[in-house]
Amino acid sequence: MKKLSILLLALLSVISIQAQIDRTSAPKAGVATKLNLGEYTKFELKNGLKVIVVENHKLPVVSYSLSIDIDPIYEGDKAGYIGFAGDLLGTGTTTLSKDQIDEKIDFIGASISTSGNGIYASSLKKHSEETLALMTDILYNPSFPEEELDKMVKQTLTGIKSDKDNPKSISRNVSQALMFGKETAYGEGTSEETIENITIEDCKNYYDTYFRPNVAYLVIIGDITVKEAKKIAKKNFAKWEAKEVPTHAFVEPKSIDKSVYAIAHKDASTQSTISVSYPIDLKPGTPDALKVSVMNSILGGGSFSARLFQNLREDKAWTYGAYSSVSSDEHLGTFKASSNVRGTITDSAFVEIAYEMNRMIDEQVSEETLQLVKNSTAGSFGRALESASTIASFAVNIDKYNLPADYYETYMERLEAITVDDIQAMAAKYLKPDNAVYLAVGDVSVTKPLMEKLANGAEVTEYDYYANKVVRSGVPVGLTAEKVVANHIKSIGGEEILATVNDVAVHATLAVQGMELSMNTYQKAPNKICVETKMGENLLSKQVYNGSVGKMTAQGQEQVLEGKMLETMKYQAILFPELSYDEQGYTLEITGVDKVDGNDAYKVIVTNPIENATTMYFDAKTGLKVKEVSVSEMGSSTTTFGEYKEFEGIKYPTKLTQSMGPQMIDVNITEVIINKGIEDKIFE
């Protein structure tokens, strides 16, 4: 048994007599002492399972955290299957269904979660036996239900739809791919294709291969003695069968020998999500690790006084926040500086980030600045020690990374020993503003010329959500926006057929935040519309326009529309407005060729007479509208159109997805009824 004695925090007494305090200079730091941390015990079962126990008798609660320690795995054309395998563990066993497991967990007030890295369980001590029975049933007898995998696939595909319109998600995918390479465990990303490739067998094989005690840790924390923990571990986990687990060589990425300049497109974005990132060789527990952490805190580690925050927010007022982070890793860590700034100052923001990185290299920080950060770091460390889980994580790290036994006991000593020379040395070693990935996610029509200016002759490459290079073809000679719209009219049925339509009823189902709604849209030529949204038989909202008067009803309250809201609805009510854009006073402008789901699409900005502009994308081959982006006071909204089907000779998209920020609505059109005679009273 390895013991660390109880941590003692010394309280400094403060002299209350004001005259005895010298406030003209900051107080000198006291002598750092070696910490005595809380006790933990480590032992190993015959099957190789390493068990760590931390007693904490403050509350009658015990937690069990089982984690596997394996090499990073490149998932390839099935990227995402490890996460699915972990999630599926908790969805049923050969003896219990998911509902039965959930019911038992709720009954005893326990908590159990699973992941690709292990299983976690916690409960009151008096329910430990029942909790462990559920935990081990999940560990030994997972059933991997096919129907649960189907649900996960659908949910993940919906999540990808949302992420494709999320600049942070785009930035994450592209930066990781550029830093580590798409063909590596650290650089690969998921896609619709990889998710749909995942099978139950993939998940079972992962579990059978890697969930083995000889590569696992069991951490027991709480109101339990070591004697009890040994008995519990042997009773519940000794029969877990050991097996040789495959190892995977880490693929070192190509070094970034010069800065890489990249952009990615976000529709209708007035901001740029920017990042400066690159891999660093920083292993956990190495002598540099703590010094680099302190150096990063001064640069951009999250406090208001950090230099990036002070420069970009306080001085320039370009952003709400600017930050940097350094992560250590047993294979390869990362440095990243990031912010959200106005699109028009994208290049300037990058210049300031590089300036602050170089300033850390070229100039020593002040003793006062360093001491403030060390004080803050010490405080955070001290607060973390109040949690028993911190002691447990220390124990795991010492074993996993082969750290000195007193690594955390000497933390305060090593922290206080850091000098301004150390900070400058760490900056020179780990800050590489000339060997980084400079990535801006925003409206490429704005960011591209700015990034080209920043790159000063170097190539600026555009990437999509999947980190694939985007090759934009130019607009064909002679092609106009009017011709693109005319081709769209032809593709959905033709002007002659559309002109015969007097009224249309469209019935659809909506999926919004897990709720199932219905939406009925009624339109009648030339400009009457009624849109009803219901939950079951309950009317949630209704919007009507009868050609002159517009109303909106929600939660029993009716509002008569006026001003711009009324004018906007007037134009929305027009049946097939593209047939008469010119007559109504619309303006059209073709601005380029973009990629939508990998296919070329003509980008056309359509502006109505009240200056509401919508950016529409028409597939270059089919002529069909595949996406549109509109901007309002509430923000930008993106709608995608798919699975066109023919109704009475006219093609309608039957699958639509609309996103506004994190909010996403999936629309499934179930029925389109044309020229069946809609009465005028429905629009009153």
Side-chain angles (χ1 to χ4, degrees), residues 229-277:
K230 286 183 176 180
K231 183 178 179 181
I232 285 173
K234 290 176 182 177
K235 177 183 177 181
N236 291 279
F237 299 97
K239 67 177 181 179
W240 193 11
E241 185 181 352
K243 183 180 177 182
E244 185 177 352
V245 173
T247 58
H248 302 270
F250 181 76
V251 179
E252 291 281 348
K254 294 180 181 178
S255 60
I256 302 175
D257 54 6
K258 59 181 180 180
S259 289
V260 174
Y261 299 92
I263 55 176
H265 185 58
K266 168 65 175 73
D267 289 311
S269 179
T270 58
Q271 285 193 320
S272 290
T273 297
I274 64 172
S275 63
V276 179
S277 58

Side-chain angles (χ1 to χ4, degrees), residues 290-540:
L290 182 55
K291 297 175 185 177
V292 173
S293 177
V294 173
M295 181 274 293
N296 179 69
S297 294
I298 297 171
L299 174 63
S303 71
F304 289 155
S305 62
R307 291 184 173 184
L308 292 178
F309 193 96
Q310 285 292 315
N311 185 327
L312 273 69
R313 172 174 165 149
E314 297 302 313
D315 182 35
K316 306 294 191 307
W318 286 347
T319 180
Y320 286 110
Y323 309 97
S324 65
S325 63
V326 174
S327 64
S328 61
D329 184 87
E330 59 187 308
H331 297 290
L332 205 58
T334 56
F335 169 85
K336 184 175 185 178
S338 61
S339 186
N340 290 322
V341 299
R342 297 193 308 275
T344 53
I345 52 91
T346 298
D347 57 336
S348 300
F350 276 127
V351 168
E352 293 303 321
I353 291 174
Y355 165 76
E356 293 297 349
M357 293 171 70
N358 280 312
R359 188 157 74 99
M360 291 291 298
I361 297 169
D362 298 335
E363 303 174 10
Q364 282 193 342
V365 302
S366 68
E367 291 281 1
E368 182 182 11
T369 296
L370 175 58
Q371 192 59 53
L372 286 172
V373 170
K374 288 197 291 188
N375 292 346
S376 175
T377 304
S380 297
F381 185 76
R383 288 189 294 274
L385 292 177
E386 297 174 4
S387 170
S389 62
T390 299
I391 308 301
S393 67
F394 288 172
V396 171
N397 289 345
I398 289 171
D399 188 86
K400 183 176 179 180
Y401 301 119
N402 196 28
L403 303 179
D406 64 349
Y407 180 79
Y408 292 101
E409 289 181 319
T410 60
Y411 182 92
M412 291 296 194
E413 292 178 79
R414 289 182 286 112
L415 174 64
E416 191 53 45
I418 295 173
T419 66
V420 292
D421 289 334
D422 292 329
I423 297 301
Q424 190 170 22
M426 292 301 98
K429 185 175 180 179
Y430 292 100
L431 295 183
K432 305 294 181 184
D434 297 327
N435 305 87
V437 174
Y438 287 78
L439 171 63
V441 181
D443 186 336
V444 296
S445 67
V446 175
T447 60
K448 186 174 183 180
L450 297 175
M451 290 296 284
E452 288 175 337
K453 178 182 176 183
L454 179 73
N456 194 27
E459 182 181 8
V460 176
T461 306
E462 183 180 351
Y463 295 88
D464 62 14
Y465 167 80
Y466 308 100
N468 295 320
K469 287 186 179 181
V470 174
V471 179
R472 293 179 179 269
S473 57
V475 176
V477 177
L479 184 65
T480 64
E482 287 75 14
K483 289 180 180 179
V484 172
V485 172
N487 189 42
H488 169 65
I489 293 172
K490 182 179 179 181
S491 70
I492 63 174
E495 184 175 350
E496 186 175 340
I497 292 179
L498 296 182
T500 65
V501 178
N502 293 315
D503 57 67
V504 178
V506 178
H507 302 292
T509 59
L510 281 66
V512 186
Q513 295 181 338
M515 297 185 296
E516 290 290 336
L517 308 177
S518 63
M519 184 173 70
N520 303 312
T521 303
Y522 305 94
Q523 281 187 273
K524 189 171 184 178
N527 60 348
K528 295 181 180 180
I529 189 171
C530 172
V531 182
E532 297 177 336
T533 305
K534 296 182 176 181
M535 178 182 287
E537 295 301 317
N538 297 321
L539 181 67
L540 298 180

